Amino acid sequence: MERAFDLLEHLADAGGEMALSELTEVSGLPMPTIYRLMRTLVNQGYVRQEPSKRYALGPRLIRLGEGASRLLGTWARPVLARLVDEIGETANMAVLEGDEAVYVAQVPSKHSMRMFTEVGRRVQPHCTGVGKALLSRLSDQRVREILARTNMDAHTPNTFTDPDKLVAELRRIREQGYALDDEEQEIGVRCVAVPLQGAPTLTAISVSGPSGRMTREAVQDVVPIMRDAAERFAKELGPTAP
């Protein structure tokens, strides 16, 4: 079972599709062993074999992923609630599904003027804090492929609309460990987001508020709190011994 799941993970890390020879190289397993495991996964619908003979993640995984995403939002609520208590602004969690960032959980701020995003809402990743945090976990090539498919609509004058500039911004995000939506999705709203390192799926958490409260100075105080929360939650999501 461990070997089968490792092969699924390798497929996911490679963008969802690999040749048998590539799986042999990255897994270190003998090719006959991989072939037998992949045939079982194909028969169960968790992997499909393309006409090119390459193996791809199968449609039966979608149901498992959707169920896990719903549970992820439930598990996240205590973490987000603590962020709201510590920072005072609305806290969110989002995952990358296909080419979009999808909000899976939110705990609203207690302020009368607060940010609100519907759970389940899908947004373009180039113009949001969580979206850029999620993109920062991908290679530059995969980012450019996503941007080519989704386009880079300008929601405000601050929105990134040049792929080269966004790729450069993502490199800064990787170095500094957080993403900033500086009124790029909506004028008057600033958002700070951090990716969950080591989470089972590409996930990010964020806090957002009016730019009058979420000032650039406040961002520097918010980032360490969010990094700590993300690190603790990622550990909670990690594998545990039976």
Side-chain angles (χ1 to χ4, degrees), residues 67-80:
S69 292
R70 288 192 294 270
L71 286 174
L72 181 62
T74 301
W75 298 331
R77 286 192 61 81
V79 177
L80 301 182

Side-chain angles (χ1 to χ4, degrees), residues 1 45 62 78 119 163 180 208 230:
M1 287 183 66
I62 295 173
V119 171
L180 180 65
S208 56

Side-chain angles (χ1 to χ4, degrees), residues 88-90 92 109 113-115 181 183 186 188-192 207-215:
E89 302 297 348
T90 297
N92 312 279
S109 165
M113 180 183 294
R114 58 181 181 243
M115 303 303 104
D181 168 3
E183 301 184 294
E186 185 177 347
V189 177
R190 189 168 284 126
C191 173
V192 184
V207 292
S208 56
S211 53
R213 289 200 306 261
M214 185 71 78
T215 62

Side-chain angles (χ1 to χ4, degrees), residues 155-174:
H155 297 270
T156 77
N158 295 340
T159 305
F160 282 90
T161 56
D162 184 326
D164 292 335
K165 291 182 178 179
L166 181 60
V167 167
E169 171 72 2
L170 294 177
R171 290 171 184 160
R172 284 192 291 271
I173 291 170
R174 294 184 191 109

Side-chain angles (χ1 to χ4, degrees), residues 25-88:
E25 182 178 349
V26 298
S27 70
L29 296 173
M31 187 174 290
T33 299
I34 296 176
Y35 180 78
R36 288 196 300 271
L37 290 169
M38 295 306 284
R39 291 314 308 165
T40 299
L41 292 170
V42 168
N43 291 338
Q44 294 297 318
Y46 296 113
V47 170
R48 58 175 292 171
Q49 191 168 27
E50 304 291 354
S52 64
K53 302 302 182 181
R54 293 171 66 85
Y55 290 101
L57 294 175
R60 198 167 181 185
L61 290 169
I62 295 173
R63 182 172 63 91
L64 300 181
E66 289 176 344
S69 292
R70 288 192 294 270
L71 286 174
L72 181 62
T74 301
W75 298 331
R77 286 192 61 81
V79 177
L80 301 182
R82 287 196 296 269
L83 281 176
V84 173
D85 289 340
E86 292 185 63
I87 297 171

